[in-house]
Amino acid sequence: MDPIGRLYELLLTISRPLLHLSGVLPPKVAAAIEGRQGAAEAAGAWASAEPPTEAPLLWLHAASAGELAGAVPVIRVLRERTPDLRIAITVSSPSALLDARNLEPDFAGYAPLDTLSECGQMIAALAPDALVFAKLDIWPGLSRAANRAGVPLGLINGTVRPDSSRLRSPTRQFLRSTYARLDAAGVVDARDAEALGLLGVKPGRIRITGDAAFDQALARVNAAKASGRHLLPARATDRVRLIGGSTWPADESVLLEAAREIGPRLDLVLVPHEPTAEALARIDDACRAAWGESPRLWSRLDQTPAEDAKLPLVVDTVGRLAELYLEGDLSLVGGACDATGLHSVIEPAAAGLPVLFGPLYDRREADDLLAAGGAGVVTPGQATRTILEYVEDSGRRRSAGEAARGYVESGSGAEGANAELVEELLALGLSRRTRRSG
């Protein structure tokens, strides 16, 4: 093990006893820590209950729900091509774990704590023929343990944000040996190929495969459109419906102020990223301050009087955003009106909506959408004016929406290229398995 790797392992070992304090952390963080502590045992229990088989097993790790969503089309293609393929999915967050289970893999759970011991235990339990990371979350300990066990390592939908700390010292030096272990890295574009090379991936192992998140966004939007289902009430033809997707307090403040100042011409639909009781109470307080009344709630639309239709609508459930975008005229994606982190701009673009967001974003897709003419930035003090310009100009909304949809369509087709990369890794892993058993 290199000196940096030894230091990393030592720090993890020293901090291990502190994990019992996770109960004082936010519930989601505590759940993730607890899940990672028991990850190897959970994998071992699953393996013990599985009948012997020679079928290949792919271990896919996706840290977040967004990274997992981008891998879904790749999983779909792999299952179509190799019906007996077994799939184990690990994640780093509770919300992603729920999504992983919905994909009905053979095993779904948390990634282990990133020590050689616990990663080694999990690899021994799952016995994968390949371990593939989705997008960017590559763990030093897990990659080292897999490398020691002879498990091929790969990356799909690979990307590195231009301002990522990974590209700066000392993080780049620390991660260099980790990235060097990758046997194959499928990246979104040439910029990512250059960044992965700087991080240590060997040039001959990098290929441009695109981002299958584009395929997933188009698939979800097209499926929602084909269903013909409507989740929102009809609106007057002179009103413009703005969908505020995955919003946080700073985004809601901007949108509620715009709705109050623009008035009845704007039909505002708020979709909080986390529609908790606390979030709903916060929005209720803001609406009462602005209009003297509570907002409409999606779950109670059938109880809402017709005269309340001009109040903002708050969607107090999850999992509906792709369908909701189809019923809008304009979108604002949350997370960039403060430093929370901009959420996916691909889904509203796939739905053919102009995409607005705050100035504090670090997503390359946001820059690309701006360059394509499919997006706009709302800045402090000018947000209402920017939104009003889109509300008043139907031609601008139409052209921006067409540009946004065109941008997503231009990035489709990555699912096949990424699936091919995974298949090559699985073949390599199976050949290694055959040599070991022989």
Side-chain angles (χ1 to χ4, degrees), residues 4-17 115 174:
I4 294 179
R6 282 196 294 270
L7 177 60
Y8 177 71
E9 185 79 11
L10 176 62
L11 290 174
L12 285 175
T13 302
I14 292 173
S15 62
R16 185 73 161 79
T115 66
F174 167 67

Side-chain angles (χ1 to χ4, degrees), residues 84-322:
D84 67 336
L85 177 65
R86 295 175 298 148
I87 298 177
I89 299 176
T90 59
V91 298
S92 300
S93 72
S95 56
L97 182 58
L98 178 61
D99 289 348
R101 288 171 175 161
N102 288 337
L103 294 174
E104 300 182 349
D106 294 86
F107 172 82
Y110 286 98
L113 292 172
D114 205 42
T115 66
L116 269 177
S117 173
E118 296 190 50
C119 291
Q121 291 175 39
M122 192 143 180
I123 288 169
L126 295 178
D129 295 292
L131 169 57
V132 173
F133 298 94
K135 211 166 183 71
L136 49 81
D137 191 36
I138 302 176
W139 288 91
L142 182 54
S143 66
R144 185 182 296 115
N147 190 250
R148 284 187 172 187
V151 177
L153 291 169
L155 174 70
I156 58 172
N157 300 334
T159 189
V160 181
R161 290 170 180 161
D163 62 348
S164 172
S165 62
R166 297 172 187 234
L167 295 172
R168 299 192 296 271
S169 296
T171 307
R172 189 172 77 182
Q173 286 75 15
F174 167 67
L175 290 174
R176 191 166 183 82
S177 61
T178 297
Y179 281 89
R181 296 187 188 103
L182 289 172
D183 293 285
V187 301
V188 175
D189 59 26
R191 294 168 292 186
D192 294 304
E194 181 180 1
L196 265 292
L198 290 173
L199 283 168
V201 183
K202 296 174 183 177
R205 298 179 179 182
I206 301 173
R207 69 179 79 169
I208 296 175
T209 54
D211 188 350
F214 286 69
D215 297 291
Q216 176 67 357
L218 288 169
R220 289 189 65 182
V221 166
N222 292 344
K225 186 181 297 186
S227 73
R229 179 171 55 179
H230 290 278
L231 300 177
L232 300 176
R235 64 189 183 285
T237 56
D238 61 344
R239 303 194 74 194
V240 173
R241 176 170 284 162
L242 191 161
I243 309 293
S246 294
T247 60
W248 294 95
D251 312 298
E252 293 151 11
S253 177
V254 164
L255 288 168
L256 290 172
E257 180 180 353
R260 181 178 59 81
E261 294 189 14
I262 294 173
R265 287 175 293 175
L266 182 64
D267 179 44
L268 177 61
V269 179
L270 282 178
V271 190
H273 182 67
E274 295 180 345
T276 60
E278 180 184 1
L280 296 177
R282 178 185 69 236
I283 296 171
D284 185 85
D285 289 344
C287 287
R288 284 180 174 276
W291 288 277
E293 297 181 70
S294 294
R296 297 173 292 158
L297 291 180
W298 184 81
S299 62
R300 299 178 186 173
L301 277 176
D302 58 346
Q303 306 168 29
T304 303
E307 58 268 22
D308 289 346
K310 293 179 182 179
L311 288 168
L313 172 65
V314 180
V315 178
D316 51 348
T317 187
V318 296
R320 304 284 190 173
L321 194 50

